[in-house]
Amino acid sequence: PFYSPEIWFRSAQAAHFMGDVTSDGACNYADSKSCVVSNDGMYEGKGGRVPDECTLVMAPSGISGSGWGVFTLTDRKRGERIMDQGDIIIHVPDPNPRNAHQMQRLVWDYLWDGQEAGGHYEGARVMSATSGFGALANGVPKKPSIIHNFPSVDDAGLKRDKSPGAGAITHHHNRTWTVDKDLHMGEEIFIEYGRGWFKERGFEVDVPPQKKDVPHLREVGYCLDNIIPGPSLIEEAGRGAFASRDLEEGAVVAPVPLIALSRSSLSMVKERNDGSLVVSTQLLHNYCFGHANSSLLLYPYSHGTNLINHDSSPNVELRWWKGSDVFFNRALLDLQQQSTSRLMLELVATRSIEKGEEILLNYGHDWTKAWNDHVQSWRPKDAHHLSAETMNADERFFIIRTQQEQQSKPYPADVFTSCYYQYSDYAKDQAPTASNSAPARSVAKWKNGMIL
């Protein structure tokens, strides 16, 4: 089996995301997105926040001091998917120890262990940022409402020898969640943090069940299932976000809660096998808001919002939530170290959006220019490059070369071998008989696995 760490597939445009403030008050945020604010910096929205068909909302948690929580508006049975489509995972391999403290809140409260999120091959020490339920839902030490499934892994059709967009997106996506115990409408949904998480932070371990009236949740909450992911219709974009239902002009498409971190916290230095150093930036940088004249980055973690692509004729815009003004005069260090659950934007429809239509946002002039320059100058590094995906499907590579053979015939520099195992279905030994009263034993058979 072969594997290529996706961080090595980074493309040049990540270093050129810039932003500017236009004369009409639109703040074209750097790194991937833009927002529009009213003259007083606030906007409450003129459309409804929770459509009648909505089944999941983000609303104030029933646990004191926990900020937002996720609630179901319908009854759900154990074993069903909480949503058919899942969220992306953005791995943060080998954080730079000199700067990692500048994303303290992200690390302390939101990042997952890379092994649980499928990123354990991305580096020596891997943490993983997720969106949707993995970041929005509050946690319990055991017996959660929902449990996560393993994500899908692919390049969304962006091949490094053919696409200038290769490396700009995460390969890990569609992390879904399964209901682990029956849920009733109005219940808050919890994921498992583990006992260690609570003890390390000095929190009480026992979390009582939380339930609220559905009409109240519709009044104070934000709908979380207006967006579904899918292959983007924009060339070189990979994946995109689509409307799951018709949305009126002025409707809040999704809440966009934010985590503050420093731009320099995402710098990284990697040493190659030949001893040379490569200075780069974490892939998470591509999924943050920012500004050319600020060291602050804001990571949005709501369901589906990380997948919204650019268009000069958008159908949504970002506006500050009315409760965010308490943070506008805070020092950057305070934002990076304190809870910022009230720092939030609203994604608002600027016109009517039909069900199945791709949701698009104007990233701003500077981003557009940087992307166009990148496309014009981009050239594939190696037209004959062998990816891990290609090698795993090619029978010529099914027999792994020994270390001695690799001295004279090495594999590509950005591909390495890795062996792992998976269980097959359990097989039973011969059942007990009159002459053989020994109980049957479960036997775990092994088979080779392929990393895709």
Side-chain angles (χ1 to χ4, degrees), residues 1-4 153 386-400 411 415-420 449-452:
F2 300 91
Y3 194 77
S4 297
V153 184
L386 286 172
S387 67
E389 182 181 17
T390 299
M391 295 172 71
N392 279 329
D394 191 332
E395 62 181 14
R396 293 178 301 167
F397 299 101
F398 285 1
I399 298 178
I400 303 300
Y411 290 124
V415 172
F416 62 86
T417 58
S418 179
C419 298
Y420 74 101
M450 297 298 290
I451 298 178
L452 303 177

Side-chain angles (χ1 to χ4, degrees), residues 132-298:
F133 294 100
L136 290 173
N138 286 307
V140 290
K142 60 179 181 178
K143 298 181 179 179
S145 308
I146 58 176
I147 54 176
H148 67 88
N149 303 304
F150 208 71
S152 302
V153 184
D154 61 69
D155 58 16
L158 301 181
K159 307 298 183 183
R160 66 179 297 174
D161 60 337
K162 298 178 180 179
S163 172
I169 68 170
T170 177
H171 290 186
H172 290 71
H173 67 106
N174 197 32
R175 188 195 201 191
T176 56
W177 297 78
T178 299
V179 177
D180 200 41
K181 60 182 179 181
D182 290 353
L183 292 172
H184 301 288
M185 62 175 64
E187 277 194 53
E188 185 167 358
I189 295 172
F190 293 101
I191 61 178
E192 185 173 0
Y193 285 5
R195 288 185 175 273
W197 191 94
F198 288 85
K199 290 182 178 180
E200 289 169 1
R201 291 156 178 78
F203 296 159
E204 294 292 332
V205 173
D206 294 328
V207 178
Q210 303 295 321
K211 186 176 181 180
K212 294 187 177 183
D213 293 333
V214 170
H216 174 72
L217 290 171
R218 289 189 177 279
E219 180 181 351
V220 303
Y222 286 88
C223 185
L224 290 176
D225 60 13
N226 286 328
I227 294 177
I228 55 175
S232 177
L233 303 178
I234 305 297
E235 187 177 2
E236 303 295 346
R239 303 181 189 95
F242 295 82
S244 64
R245 55 180 60 93
D246 292 341
L247 299 168
E248 297 179 356
E249 179 181 354
V252 178
V253 179
V256 190
L258 305 163
I259 302 170
L261 60 153
S262 169
R263 187 183 300 269
S264 61
S265 68
L266 298 183
S267 66
M268 61 185 304
V269 179
K270 299 280 286 186
E271 182 179 1
R272 293 193 181 277
N273 293 334
D274 60 5
S276 62
L277 295 179
V278 178
V279 180
S280 185
T281 306
Q282 295 282 0
L283 184 64
L284 186 67
H285 184 270
N286 281 15
Y287 292 89
C288 292
F289 302 130
H291 193 277
N293 298 326
S294 174
S295 61
L296 179 69
L297 293 178
L298 299 172

